[in-house]
Amino acid sequence: MQEESKNARTFKELKWSDLQDWAGGKATAKGIKYQEEKRVKELKCTSSCSLVARVEGTIEYFTEVSLKNGKLSSICTCPVGHDCKHGVAAVLEYLDLIEQGEDVPVVTEEDILIKRSRRGFAGAGVSEAYEAEASPRIFQEYLEKLEKPELIEILTTFAKKDNMLGRYLKDRQTLASENPERVIGGIYSEMDELWRELKSSDFWTYEGEEMPDFSEVQIRLESLLDSGHPDELLDIGKELMDRYKEIEEYDEGDIGTQISDCIDVVFRALSQSSLSAHEKMLYALELELKDDYNILNAPTLWREDHTQEEWMLFAEALKVRFQEAAKEKETDILYESSWERDYVIDRLIDALRKAGHSEEIIPISELEAERTGNYTRLVRELLDSGQKKKAEEWIYRGIKKLREYDPGTAYELLQTLIEINEIEENWSFVAALETEEFFKFPQLSSYIRMQKAAKKIGKWKEIRESALQYLKNGKLPVNKPEVAEELSILPGSLPKTGLLESSSLKKIKPPVLDLLIQIAIQEDDADEVVHWYEEFKKRKSEAEKSGRSILEEEIAKAVKDKYPEVAIEIWKNIAEDLISKAKVRSYEVASIYLRRIKETLESIGKKEEWEAYLKQIREVNRFKKKLLEILNRLEKSRIISE
């Protein structure tokens, strides 16, 4: 077959390194094992020269592998979704069949194997999504056609098999004939029992199915709501959140998820309750303020359309709350407030905006900025209202007040100031801000931002020189100023920003080797990379600590063409360290570095050196059977012989 022979020629060129570069060492190893275990149950070629296969894993998965311009890629119905062990197994199975001279059928795009491989994870295609969405409607249509005796038979039969349905129907029966107190009492009793379990001495040992189960509480809440008693759920919701607060700091999420499911029912009940809109808002806010660990889903209440009057009533209630809190607490010290206050203020501002009282928002935001340090909210409101100059004034106040106590927020404000000046194309000022930031906190990201701004004004050469001198010998481009506004970070080249303080320019311990290396890599300067790497190795304690770091891999990649011996040294250290861990997974990763050593030595005419090194690795690790199997593959270039 013409298509099949073309496909074979394409895939026959593959090397073991191609598989590793494509899928990684771990997936390649598992793919090899899958192929050896004969898990590839069906394999075909497509008319576009890709492979499609059915591979046996936890369940059956379907994969399609393509090879274009020498690069492999694949899609799969497994959870990984692409470039996985199933694709590797398919490629190896195909090459094995070709090597044995067997034919692999070529199929059209209509073949079921192709269609299944392109349907996504576990075959969850459009049709399944449609069926899931349509099933409630289909069930309803089916049930509406049944006679009453048939419905009764179905429900009673299923209730015997499903405890939750049985509990639901029993509560519905009770609620139809009595007032809800009996069911409510049962819910509280169930909660009491669950909390006794949670607070027992075994609280820390719950695993899997032993975890206290709140599903019956949730079902009983559902029955209460569906029977037309939404108001009765509101007190239960408060009780649930109050009890959860007792154990929330010890919970790893399992109980919180169950509580959240119960509160979802309560929030639905809230929307149906007899409370007025603003009372519903106050209730929802009360529950949200108990949620210190963010377990709850946001109620739809906040997205619903309410009248301006109701939003204003809610806003007025919050104002009263703050006034009462102020009377109880006369102090006004920055940072004493918690996230709750910020959250309530955000709700107040949202309510005022929806009530048509936006003029109150900025004064409130100004007071809160001084009290709690939330300058970002105020700056955002000022910018949204077109008050740029005033926003900049508050940015300066915020940065100066927060940089010592809340550097994260101060940095956010600085970025906003930079964005304002970028929009106005005030690049000299942007360059000054970015340069100051680099000298305060030297790192590659700030170096790159400084470079971008400095190039806009043609000042990169002198700024770069000052930055590198600082990293090499700790020399600042300017003496530390006594007054913030007196000097720029680079006099004669950059303007003053008004944010430079002597205390912010801290001493560093030069040379800052890791950053100097990163900058040299960024600037594609192999000579500098090697120079600073040699210095890096001299600091034995640091080298030992960071010797197997990502930085070394970056160094090897940056210098391999000009200084192959340096790259080889790094790869040897990494590979030998991985082999010493005596794990198959580590062997597979080590083989990636060993292959790089092999290919590099062969490319510079030192094949004998590689063979001697491989022999040494074999001898030292002669009792590691799995490693020796992996090393055998290293001796082969192509997966199948020419």
Side-chain angles (χ1 to χ4, degrees), residues 18 29 67 80 109 111 129 132 197 203 237 260 268 286 290 322 343 356 360 388 614 625 631:
D18 294 325
L67 179 60
V80 175
E109 294 292 309
D111 189 87
E197 289 183 54
F203 176 75
S260 177
R268 295 207 319 268
E286 182 178 349
K290 297 176 188 290
F322 282 118
Y343 187 77
E360 297 184 38
K388 183 183 73 68
L614 181 60
K625 182 181 176 182
L631 294 179

Side-chain angles (χ1 to χ4, degrees), residues 16-32 72 82-85 88 585 587-592 596 633:
W16 286 106
S17 57
D18 294 325
L19 290 186
Q20 290 182 326
D21 291 343
W22 162 49
K26 184 176 181 181
T28 299
K30 289 187 175 181
I32 293 169
L72 286 159
H82 61 91
D83 306 339
C84 59
K85 59 190 175 187
V88 173
R585 161 64 177 145
Y587 299 158
E588 289 294 345
V589 179
S591 72
I592 295 173
R596 290 175 187 172
R633 293 203 299 269

